[in-house]
Each structure stands twice: as C-alpha cells, then as structure tokens.
C-alpha cells in the first residue's frame, strides 16, 4: 500500500468515520474508504471519542478548537531582524 500524502480530515471524512464506526467496521476498512492511513483513524478516534462515542460534529468542533488555541509562530521580516540585531549588539534585553 502506498503512503497517502498528508491532509487534514474534512467534515465529510468525519461523517464517514462516524457512520462506519456505527456499522462496526474496522479502522483499516475506514482508512481505506477515506484514503488515509489506519493510524490517522486511530488517532482521530482516540482524540475525539467522548465516553466511547464518536460523533462527526463534536469531532469537527474539538479539532478546530484545538487549532484556534494552538500557539502561533511569529516570523519577523528583514527590517525587524536588523533592528533586533542592532539592539542586541547594544546589549539591550528583549524583556
């Protein structure tokens, strides 16, 4: 089996997962139906099951809530880097 490229699960993927879980399908069968690795399904179910029950709506909301709360990476441009370098050479503290 060829390794699929990385992609996030969509709302429709999560609906398929919910329906196939209700039909007692194995994780590998669900993964093949969606086109992802079995570990992706395992991770999705372990993260988003509540009291042993997986629902696509709740999973979607929990996933995007985690994304919103995730710390952001800040990138600085060339001009800001030059200013910072000047201040650091003057022994200025960033605090």
């Amino acid at each position: 089996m060829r390794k699929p490229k990385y992609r996030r699960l969509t709302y429709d993927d999560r609906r398929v997962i919910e329906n196939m879980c209700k039909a007692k399908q194995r994780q590998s069968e669900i993964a093949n139906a969606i086109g992802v690795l079995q570990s992706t399904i395992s991770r999705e179910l372990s993260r988003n099951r509540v009291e042993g029950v997986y629902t696509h709506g709740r999973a979607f909301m929990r996933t995007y809530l985690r994304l919103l709360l995730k710390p952001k990476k800040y990138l600085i441009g060339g001009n800001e880097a030059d200013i910072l370098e000047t201040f650091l050479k003057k022994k200025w503290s960033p605090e």
Side-chain angles (χ1 to χ4, degrees), residues 22-75:
K22 285 180 181 176
K24 307 289 186 199
Q25 298 292 314
R26 293 180 305 183
Q27 289 181 8
S28 59
E29 294 170 337
I30 298 170
N32 286 336
I34 295 175
V36 297
L37 297 173
Q38 183 271 333
S39 61
T40 302
I41 302 302
S42 176
R43 204 174 310 113
E44 174 71 10
L45 293 174
S46 66
R47 283 181 183 159
N48 294 310
R49 272 187 186 148
V50 177
E51 297 178 6
V53 178
Y54 180 89
T55 59
H56 68 281
R58 185 182 301 140
F60 183 80
M61 288 175 51
R62 288 171 57 104
T63 299
Y64 283 95
L65 181 61
R66 274 194 303 275
L67 274 176
L68 290 174
L69 297 176
K70 184 178 180 181
K72 306 291 185 260
K73 293 181 183 177
Y74 294 101
L75 302 176

